[in-house]
Each structure stands twice: as C-alpha cells, then as structure tokens.
Amino acid sequence: MPSDRAPRSEQQVRVDLAAAYRLAALAGWDDTVYTHLSATVPGEPGVYLINEFGLGFDEMTASSLVKVNLRGEVVDGSGRAVNPTGFTIHGAVHAARPELECVIHLHTPWGVALSMLPKGLQPGSQWAMRLHGRLGRHRYEGLSLGVDEQQRLVVNLGLLDGLILENHGTLTVGRSVAEAFMLMHVLERAAQAQLHAMAATGGHIAVASDELASRTCRQWAGDGSEWDGDVEWPALLRRADRLTPGYRD
C-alpha cells in the first residue's frame, strides 16, 4: 500500500534507530557487539545506517551510526569498522525491499530457542496471532557471509514481515524503525510465552485454528492506515529519554 506520510529526514531516522538500539539494550536483546539494526538513509538510494563494529547497543547515538552502501562499503568518509555479516543480511534485504526503512536481526535467548523448534512459532498466544502468516523461515548455513545465501534469504523473506533464522535467531523488517521494532517486541513476547508454556506442559500447548489466527491478525492490521509501532513508539521514545539519555546526540 503506498504511503502518503511525510518524507523522513536523515536526522529523524538516525534518532529513531539510535533509540531502537538503546531500547534493545534495555530489553536485553543485545549480544555484546554482535547483531544489527539498520535503516535506510532518506534521499540516498542504496545507502543505509548501521552500528559501528565494537560499540555496544547501549553506546549507540544518532551521530555514531555509520553510512554504508549495499556492497558493505563505508561511504561517509569516517573509515569506521562495520561487521561483514551486517552486509550479508541487511544489505541483501535493503536491496531486495527498497520500500522498507528498517531491518532488525537479533540473537536473543528466546529468539534462538524459538529458531530451534521444528514447528517454529505457533498461534498459541495473541502475540503470536498478531504475526500469523507474516513470518518465513530460513535454514541455517553457517555464518552469514555468502552471496548465494543472500539470494536464498531474500527469497524466503519475500514480501513478509520477518524470518525465523533456524538455529540462529530472528529478523523483522518495517516501513519505519518503529514498525520493525514493535514487530520484534511482539515476536519476543510470543516466543517467551510459547517456550514457557511448552516447558510447563511437556511441549503440548493449546493453539488457535488457522482461521481464528488469521482473523485475529486482520483485526490487528485494521484498514492498513495504522502501522505497527505508530501508537507505541512515542511512549518508547519517552522511555529511552528517561532511562538511557544521550542517544539523540
């Protein structure tokens, strides 16, 4: 669906992405200096922002984000280091889905545990039903460094909103940083709920029918004018301002 929203500035995207990093750190989603959140640069096709390799999520600021192109080359003249796996996954998705603003890939304990389950995410909670039919799967191929895997990954993503990366972690995408972040929040909550329930019942959980899960997902989506994250993001920014100030710098 085409968006009639006002164009975003680079500074707005930088602030939102830095906030997302800080909020991810507060939520315990970080993996020391690994994994990435990236966002496209408005008005610069094929250029996106990503974290400097070696910085923790809790250290990220709007000005510390590095500009790279789809080949993984730093293009802002800073000469700062970035992680090559950030190009393989994030560069591939940004190239294949230019309508997206943000890509989030994490190795959280809950997300990795979910990625180890043969049936993946099941419609056992309202959180999971919010994502029903919106996630694909991608088989593990070792460290994400190859061009061939890029092609398979983007095929598995297609026009969906995310992937369960088997034996690896999770990935969500969004038309805004807020949307990608909120989808990851929902995925994390759904994974926790499912894994807790499976642990308590020996793996047997009550799940909704496909029809009910699909209907619930449609109810969340509404007429499409409201994106995931629209309602929640201002409150999340206020949380970041209170608990981890300085990200706007």
Side-chain angles (χ1 to χ4, degrees), residues 177-221:
V177 173
E179 183 170 56
F181 187 92
M182 194 61 203
L183 290 174
M184 184 60 77
H185 168 83
V186 173
L187 179 53
E188 278 286 299
R189 288 294 178 92
Q192 290 181 50
Q194 178 175 319
L195 289 159
H196 275 307
M198 293 176 74
T201 63
H204 303 290
I205 61 173
V207 297
S209 67
D210 282 345
E211 189 280 330
L212 178 56
S214 296
R215 172 152 47 93
T216 303
C217 184
R218 291 194 301 271
Q219 289 172 329
W220 275 109

Side-chain angles (χ1 to χ4, degrees), residues 97-154:
R97 299 280 301 277
E99 79 280 7
L100 299 174
E101 180 175 275
C102 185
V103 179
I104 297 178
H105 165 49
L106 301 176
H107 305 154
T108 67
W110 296 110
V112 173
L114 181 71
S115 78
M116 296 161 61
L117 299 179
K119 292 185 179 180
L121 186 65
Q122 300 175 52
S125 69
Q126 185 168 264
W127 289 308
M129 285 183 262
R130 186 169 175 174
L131 298 170
H132 187 70
R134 301 174 70 179
L135 302 176
R137 292 178 70 87
H138 177 69
R139 294 188 65 180
Y140 187 65
E141 300 186 28
L143 296 182
S144 300
L145 297 171
V147 174
D148 289 345
E149 184 175 3
Q150 284 183 317
Q151 297 171 348
R152 287 185 286 273
L153 186 144
V154 298

Side-chain angles (χ1 to χ4, degrees), residues 13-241:
V13 175
R14 282 182 174 273
V15 168
D16 277 359
L17 187 59
Y21 271 104
R22 295 291 191 92
L23 290 163
L26 289 173
W29 294 356
D30 49 345
D31 185 11
T32 64
V33 298
Y34 299 101
T35 74
H36 312 278
L37 293 73
S38 64
T40 55
V41 179
E44 298 186 41
V47 177
Y48 61 98
L49 299 164
I50 201 164
N51 50 322
E52 179 181 352
F53 193 37
L55 290 182
F57 281 17
D58 61 332
E59 299 178 285
M60 296 305 298
T61 64
S63 61
S64 69
L65 294 161
V66 184
K67 278 188 184 182
V68 297
N69 63 23
L70 299 176
R71 296 183 297 278
E73 299 164 339
V74 175
V75 296
D76 59 13
S78 66
R80 290 177 290 180
V82 289
N83 189 338
T85 60
F87 313 142
T88 306
I89 294 176
H90 291 254
V93 175
H94 283 299
R97 299 280 301 277
E99 79 280 7
L100 299 174
E101 180 175 275
C102 185
V103 179
I104 297 178
H105 165 49
L106 301 176
H107 305 154
T108 67
W110 296 110
V112 173
L114 181 71
S115 78
M116 296 161 61
L117 299 179
K119 292 185 179 180
L121 186 65
Q122 300 175 52
S125 69
Q126 185 168 264
W127 289 308
M129 285 183 262
R130 186 169 175 174
L131 298 170
H132 187 70
R134 301 174 70 179
L135 302 176
R137 292 178 70 87
H138 177 69
R139 294 188 65 180
Y140 187 65
E141 300 186 28
L143 296 182
S144 300
L145 297 171
V147 174
D148 289 345
E149 184 175 3
Q150 284 183 317
Q151 297 171 348
R152 287 185 286 273
L153 186 144
V154 298
V155 167
N156 290 332
L157 177 62
L159 296 177
L160 298 172
D161 296 316
L163 288 171
I164 304 298
L165 304 172
E166 295 180 4
N167 311 104
H168 184 176
T170 53
L171 181 144
T172 58
V173 300
R175 294 162 291 182
S176 65
V177 173
E179 183 170 56
F181 187 92
M182 194 61 203
L183 290 174
M184 184 60 77
H185 168 83
V186 173
L187 179 53
E188 278 286 299
R189 288 294 178 92
Q192 290 181 50
Q194 178 175 319
L195 289 159
H196 275 307
M198 293 176 74
T201 63
H204 303 290
I205 61 173
V207 297
S209 67
D210 282 345
E211 189 280 330
L212 178 56
S214 296
R215 172 152 47 93
T216 303
C217 184
R218 291 194 301 271
Q219 289 172 329
W220 275 109
D223 64 4
S225 61
E226 184 179 286
W227 297 355
D228 290 289
D230 281 353
V231 172
E232 303 91 347
W233 192 242
L236 289 169
L237 288 178
R238 293 193 297 271
R239 179 182 297 175
D241 287 328

